[in-house]
């Protein structure tokens, strides 16, 4: 099972919006609405930000939103803040009844 | 509030078997419709899904690790465990345990992670 494809890095200025892509295949991202996104700060465990493509867990800022088109899912962070600087990972269910993560994207607030 | 805590040896020699336990507090691992899983992260690298176990005991593993992995439940101790045999330096990673609700894609509760180093 190959990892989902994410850009290595994305940057933006405070207040801007950025979008992170997560590309898979019809056997994972494109085949199911089971995509989730995680935020990870250095030295910490990942934190769930989006599940089932576009749902936010309780307590997650509404500046985070998710979507999907075909085999590509996206995470958008609007009103970028310094605290959003972190690594972000997508994950998807697969046709093999397993799960796969993306390679991760480092978000920098410049 | 649900809490997960990994425990186990932090240093192994090549060819040994990695054994980790995840202790769950604030909830029962026997609760219907939950999956309990393991994810690892090599130093400086991304996340890798290892596998998970349903509350009923059904298991699902990463195909690249399937021949070496076993995940099991111990309901009497409210714990679940990971065994990975024949470890090599490539298995050096922070190992996380986590929970997912059935019918959903999100791993909503995570342990803090434990570093396992494989070195001779």
């Amino acid at each position: 099972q190959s990892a989902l494809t994410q850009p290595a890095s994305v940057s933006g200025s405070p207040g801007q919006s950025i979008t992170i892509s997560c590309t898979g295949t019809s056997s994972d991202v494109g085949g199911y609405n089971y995509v989730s996104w995680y935020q990870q700060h250095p030295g910490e465990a990942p934190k769930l930000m989006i599940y089932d493509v576009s749902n936010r867990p309780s307590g997650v800022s509404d500046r985070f939103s998710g979507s999907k088109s075909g085999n590509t899912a996206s995470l958008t962070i609007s009103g970028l803040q310094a605290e959003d600087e972190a690594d972000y990972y997508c994950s998807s269910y697969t046709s093999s009844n397993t799960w796969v993560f993306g390679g991760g994207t480092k978000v920098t607030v410049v | 509030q649900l809490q997960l805590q990994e425990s186990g040896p932090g240093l192994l020699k090549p060819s040994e078997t990695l054994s980790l336990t995840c202790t769950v507090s604030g909830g029962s691992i026997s609760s219907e419709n939950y999956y309990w899983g393991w994810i690892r992260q090599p130093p400086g690298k991304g996340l890798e899904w290892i596998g998970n176990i349903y509350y009923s005991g059904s298991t699902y593993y990463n195909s690249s690790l399937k021949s070496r992995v076993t995940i099991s439940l111990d309901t009497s101790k409210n714990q679940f465990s990971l065994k990975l045999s024949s470890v090599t330096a490539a298995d050096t990673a922070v190992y996380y345990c986590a929970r997912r609700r059935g019918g959903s894609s999100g791993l909503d509760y995570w342990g803090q992670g434990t570093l396992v180093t494989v070195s001779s």
Side-chain angles (χ1 to χ4, degrees), chain A residues 45-92:
Chain A
K47 174 187 176 183
L48 178 64
M49 305 302 284
I50 296 287
Y51 67 96
D52 299 350
V53 176
S54 60
N55 294 294
R56 267 188 317 275
S58 174
V60 172
S61 171
D62 60 5
R63 297 185 299 104
F64 292 84
S65 61
S67 63
K68 190 184 83 167
S69 178
N71 296 336
T72 298
S74 299
L75 174 71
T76 297
I77 308 174
S78 57
L80 198 62
Q81 299 180 2
E83 67 205 48
D84 300 332
E85 189 162 290
D87 293 326
Y88 290 83
Y89 294 91
C90 62
S91 178
S92 174

Side-chain angles (χ1 to χ4, degrees), chain B residues 8 11-12 14 23 25 27 35 37 43 45 48 53 55 57-58 62 64 66 69 74 83 89 91-92 99 101 105 107:
Chain B
L11 181 62
L12 293 173
T23 300
S25 57
Y35 292 84
K45 296 187 178 181
E48 180 181 31
I53 186 165
Y55 78 101
S58 299
N62 185 322
S64 67
K66 191 171 185 175
V69 172
D74 186 339
K83 291 189 186 300
D91 296 310
T92 294
R99 184 195 82 165
R101 181 172 53 84
S105 59
L107 292 162

Side-chain angles (χ1 to χ4, degrees), chain A residues 36 38 40 45 52 89 97 99, chain B residues 41 60 96 100 105 107 111:
Chain A
S36 53
Y38 302 87
Q40 187 180 35
D52 299 350
Y89 294 91
N97 204 8
W99 297 80
Chain B
Q41 185 172 35
Y60 309 86
Y96 296 100
R100 180 174 61 83
S105 59
L107 292 162

